[in-house]
Amino acid sequence: MRIKILGCSGGIGAQLRTTSLLVDRDILIDAGTGVGDLTLDEMRHIRHLFLTHSHLDHTCGLPLLIDTIFDHLKTPLTVYGRAETLEAVKKHIFNWIMWPDFAELPSKAKPVLQYRPLKLGERISIEGCNLHMIEVNHTVPGVGYIIEKGGKVFAFSGDTFTNESFWKAVNAYPRIDALMVETAFANGNEKLADMAKHYCPKTLAADLAKLKHDPDIYITHLKPGSEDLIFQEIVTALPKRRVHRLMGGEVFDL
């Protein structure tokens, strides 16, 4: 399993890209601005997109992606997610006002875009890659994903706050090789983090105390301008954990 971090920032600016992960050649997890760094050939190979939630920093690349590869799609690109997430995408993006509805183009009989709602806890297998949807705690319905292939396991929290469901699901696996988890705010903005349902280093450390495994932990979704402060607070709060700051562009071969 190869995972490439296309975007991992909590915002944009200069080299910053918002959340998107490429799994092998044909699967995307989220479609933030990081999608724009893919080559046209790489975009043409994508057939499956798993969304964690509906916020723009995780979905804004989808309409441009489908528009870019429209002429090259012989089979539809399938978008997976919670039913609430997919309904939000249909209503607020592909609504003929913000963007054409590619679920009806070039025709309703043969569209280039299709939706596949998943139930919480559902598992789906795509060419030997197993994806497990887990509910998380965010301001809109959100999920994380546990991805397993060839005996290796990668867990991604998506955008979340203090919860039990994600950590319970992760602990049920016999091993976790890598964990990608968000921390959007510094401890000085804890109240704002609580309102926005994002981790700060303090609340992240409290939830990581629930984790029974000892994987490498990769921090994502840091707010632009506060990255150094947030990460240093994480390192201080988690002296016994192996934590790493994602910059974007990293490739993990698991």
Side-chain angles (χ1 to χ4, degrees), residues 52-212:
T52 59
H53 64 295
S54 59
H55 282 160
L56 277 176
D57 56 330
H58 296 253
T59 60
C60 65
L62 171 55
L64 295 174
L65 170 66
I66 196 72
D67 187 66
T68 299
I69 61 176
F70 177 82
D71 291 336
H72 305 281
L73 286 170
K74 305 304 180 185
T75 58
L77 186 151
T78 303
V79 180
Y80 306 79
R82 291 183 66 157
E84 302 96 324
T85 302
L86 300 185
E87 285 303 313
V89 168
K90 295 176 189 177
K91 181 177 181 180
H92 299 292
I93 297 179
F94 295 108
N95 57 11
W96 295 106
I97 298 171
M98 293 299 293
W99 209 249
D101 186 357
F102 282 88
E104 298 183 0
L105 294 172
S107 70
K108 290 184 178 181
K110 291 187 176 182
V112 294
L113 177 66
Q114 65 182 8
Y115 300 98
R116 168 73 159 83
L118 298 176
K119 297 179 181 179
L120 296 175
E122 187 170 347
R123 302 168 190 260
I124 186 167
S125 181
I126 297 173
E127 296 183 4
C129 187
N130 301 303
L131 297 99
H132 184 190
M133 174 191 275
I134 307 300
E135 184 177 23
V136 296
N137 180 16
H138 197 38
T139 54
V140 295
V143 300
Y145 290 100
I146 302 174
I147 308 169
E148 184 180 18
K149 184 178 181 181
K152 300 292 186 178
V153 183
F154 177 87
F156 174 44
S157 72
D159 284 11
T160 190
F161 180 55
T162 301
N163 71 88
E164 299 296 331
S165 53
F166 181 75
W167 304 108
K168 181 178 179 180
V170 168
N171 284 334
Y173 281 76
R175 62 182 289 168
I176 297 292
D177 296 284
L179 167 66
M180 182 173 170
V181 61
E182 70 114 285
T183 309
F185 295 95
N187 285 330
N189 286 319
E190 183 179 357
K191 289 185 178 180
L192 178 58
D194 291 355
M195 290 176 59
K197 290 189 181 291
H198 282 289
Y199 283 128
C200 67
K202 178 181 177 181
T203 50
L204 173 67
D207 262 19
L208 278 173
K210 306 169 186 175
L211 180 62
K212 297 178 181 179

Side-chain angles (χ1 to χ4, degrees), residues 208-222:
L208 278 173
K210 306 169 186 175
L211 180 62
K212 297 178 181 179
H213 302 295
D214 186 29
D216 284 292
I217 299 171
Y218 298 91
I219 306 299
T220 184
H221 215 287
L222 302 167

